Amino acid sequence: MSAPHEATTRDPVEALQDHVLGARWFAGKGREGQLVGLEQPDWIVDPAEHPYGVRAEYATVGYPDGSHEHYQLLVSYRPEPLADCLIGPAVEPELGFAHDAPRDVEAMRGVLAAVLEGSRVPHAWQQTLVDGAALTTELEPRVFGGEQSNTNVLLGDVALMKIFRKLETGPNLDIQMHDALGRAHVSSAARLFGWVSGSLTPFSDEAWTDGAEAPEPERVDLMMISELLREAHDGWELAVEHAREGREVSEHAAALGAALAEVHVALADTFGSSTRSGEELAATMQQRLERAAADAPVLAGHVAGLRRGFAGLAGRSVTAQRVHGDFHLGQCLFTADGWKIIDFEGEPMKSFAERLELDSPLRDVAGMLRSFGYATSGFDDPTGAEARAWLQDAQQAFLAAYQQEAGPVDTGLLDAYVADKAVYEVVYETRNRPDWVGIPMSAIEALAPDATTDDEEN
């Protein structure tokens, strides 16, 4: 199938820039980014030996503030254009046309073969297989339509290849955490089959000047291959459906609590733990509260009570360890083998260094408690008596099962994490969905009753 004429005759660099800046996985939308660099390592699939070639290329996007981001472009090259995945003419004319390889089925067959035939992979593109027995070149690749910050390619009904788009040097957290959980035989996480790494040369303005030495290449993880969780039901959709139908979700909530506890215990055993100052934690939460109160006036009557709750952390030593970091119902899948927890990369808006920081496991616990709070949106009245009773049952079941496996939790510390999360949610809803503000506000009102009510009772 041929592509429209205008797409095949565009300026190659302009077409490539438009592809990057317009992709769903591009994180810099609205920041006036521009393509300022392109690194093209060795071939994964050599066009001299096949009717197409594939490279994992690294595009650098620069912003007006001087910052830069690196993105992986898995590109297939063909003499003739394929309309469904065409980027544009190749920057190197002799290569023909550039395509988004994850949508080029034949090219992805070649990529899979390269992963499995390790000796043929170039030095700049190295694979590690920890459990590759289920992987064969017979698996049919097909791109998964729900693309977000990464690109997922299904390999038959066996595996999922997650192609990382925004690149950061150093080990990828999703790989590192799945590897650790697999070695600990944790049943509530998908099996990790392997991953692929490359060498990225960090962008430097000085490198473009005459005589300047180029920065040393650094390791960067490019993709991971894990077990495909078949017949999986999204946790968020399942919980909302239960709420909409007035069915209790306590049994599922308890299973999720046990699953999270299993993960937390394994992460502490593998990576160890440390401590955080309660004063430092309280100060961070209070700073966020002050900024939030300025953006969301609805918080005004509760600020004093929230401050008191955060101040109660003073003098405490808070146990910190590796955690999920972005835990909610949407990060859980209900399968024939029970609940599975996915996406261990942490909050996507945080830097790699921030996501590496140790935190209390109660951040994850609070995230799920608040996620059940949002699932009450399935009720006609999310803050009505029926919804509140449903929510209380779900939260209590989750927390009881978690504590049974992980030990008792500090309720004051947990309340602080829940309040901190709810404060963030109030600001988000104020800006984006004012009709939903009542959902996080119901949590705020329970944790920090309005100051005028306190005065009347006194």
Side-chain angles (χ1 to χ4, degrees):
M1 181 176 180
S2 62
H5 175 74
E6 57 270 19
T8 62
T9 57
R10 296 189 63 196
D11 175 76
V13 175
E14 180 183 293
L16 187 63
Q17 175 171 278
D18 287 350
H19 170 69
V20 175
L21 303 188
R24 289 186 65 184
W25 41 256
F26 176 60
K29 291 180 175 62
R31 296 182 57 197
E32 300 180 5
Q34 288 190 329
L35 185 67
V36 296
L38 183 65
E39 187 174 353
Q40 298 171 310
D42 295 336
W43 292 102
I44 299 168
V45 180
D46 192 338
E49 302 175 9
H50 299 80
Y52 59 90
V54 183
R55 280 193 304 219
E57 304 182 355
Y58 313 136
T60 300
V61 176
Y63 298 100
D65 63 3
S67 62
H68 301 90
E69 292 174 339
H70 299 286
Y71 290 88
Q72 178 184 185
L73 309 178
L74 195 60
V75 183
S76 63
Y77 290 93
R78 293 177 174 275
E80 299 297 328
L82 299 178
D84 292 342
C85 53
L86 178 66
I87 295 174
V91 174
E92 302 156 283
E94 68 275 13
L95 296 178
F97 296 89
H99 303 82
D100 185 34
R103 289 173 169 76
D104 182 342
V105 174
E106 186 180 14
M108 290 310 298
R109 290 195 193 104
V111 171
L112 176 59
V115 172
L116 299 180
E117 301 168 9
S119 61
R120 300 186 61 189
V121 177
H123 175 70
W125 197 78
Q126 298 179 329
Q127 100 287 20
T128 302
L129 293 178
V130 295
D131 183 8
L135 303 178
T136 73
T137 55
E138 302 303 313
L139 297 176
E140 183 73 2
R142 64 188 189 279
V143 71
F144 178 67
E147 180 180 288
Q148 296 296 332
S149 56
N150 301 302
T151 300
N152 293 320
V153 175
L154 308 182
L155 302 176
D157 61 355
V158 172
L160 176 72
M161 176 185 287
K162 180 186 286 189
I163 299 166
F164 302 120
R165 292 300 195 167
K166 185 179 178 183
L167 300 177
E168 294 177 288
T169 56
N172 179 276
L173 274 179
D174 211 10
I175 294 174
Q176 197 176 60
M177 300 277 263
H178 271 94
D179 189 34
L181 295 173
R183 294 178 191 280
H185 305 290
V186 170
S187 62
S188 51
R191 291 160 56 199
L192 177 67
F193 294 140
W195 64 91
V196 173
S197 304
S199 297
L200 169 68
T201 303
F203 183 82
S204 169
D205 290 318
E206 289 75 19
W208 298 97
T209 62
D210 292 338
E213 293 186 8
E216 287 293 320
E218 298 182 27
R219 169 190 164 174
V220 61
D221 287 331
L222 302 175
M223 63 181 72
M224 64 180 280
I225 304 176
S226 59
E227 171 190 12
L228 178 62
L229 301 173
R230 288 171 284 176
E231 300 180 11
H233 300 277
D234 178 88
W236 166 255
E237 293 177 357
L238 184 147
V240 172
E241 179 182 310
H242 276 62
R244 186 179 299 117
E245 297 174 358
R247 290 188 288 148
E248 68 173 35
V249 75
S250 302
E251 185 177 343
H252 285 299
L256 276 172
L260 180 62
E262 181 188 24
V263 166
H264 280 168
V265 170
L267 292 178
D269 289 345
T270 302
F271 297 104
S273 61
S274 183
T275 58
R276 292 186 64 179
S277 160
E279 286 88 348
E280 178 185 346
L281 187 60
T284 300
M285 291 180 173
Q286 287 174 341
Q287 288 170 3
R288 283 198 285 260
L289 172 61
E290 303 307 324
R291 292 194 297 268
D295 293 333
V298 69
L299 287 170
H302 306 276
V303 170
L306 291 167
R307 283 194 192 121
R308 286 194 296 271
F310 295 149
L313 301 182
R316 301 190 190 194
S317 181
V318 177
T319 301
Q321 63 166 78
R322 285 283 184 90
V323 298
H324 185 283
D326 188 29
F327 194 57
H328 52 80
L329 285 163
Q331 304 285 32
C332 306
L333 297 175
F334 183 59
T335 74
D337 297 322
W339 282 99
K340 303 287 185 178
I341 298 173
I342 62 174
D343 291 340
F344 287 86
E345 294 176 275
E347 291 187 27
M349 297 307 293
K350 288 186 175 179
S351 69
F352 180 67
E354 289 173 322
R355 285 182 274 127
L356 272 178
E357 292 177 356
L358 304 185
D359 204 343
S360 168
L362 296 188
R363 179 173 294 284
D364 288 345
V365 175
M368 182 54 69
L369 295 180
R370 290 301 313 130
S371 193
F372 277 119
Y374 265 79
T376 60
S377 60
F379 286 92
D380 291 336
D381 181 1
T383 59
E386 185 182 2
R388 291 199 304 271
W390 181 92
L391 174 59
Q392 184 178 40
D393 288 345
Q395 291 179 332
Q396 288 180 345
F398 173 81
L399 195 54
Y402 177 84
Q403 292 182 99
Q404 186 173 346
E405 300 294 330
V409 305
D410 180 332
T411 55
L413 179 60
L414 177 58
D415 284 349
Y417 272 104
V418 170
D420 185 53
K421 180 72 171 176
V423 165
Y424 164 82
E425 293 166 352
V426 169
V427 174
Y428 178 87
E429 303 303 354
T430 298
R431 291 174 176 171
N432 299 282
R433 298 182 296 191
D435 292 345
W436 283 47
V437 168
I439 293 177
M441 279 304 300
S442 64
I444 297 290
E445 289 161 359
L447 292 166
D450 189 277
T452 56
T453 302
D454 293 341
D455 291 342
E456 290 171 2
E457 292 177 352
N458 293 330

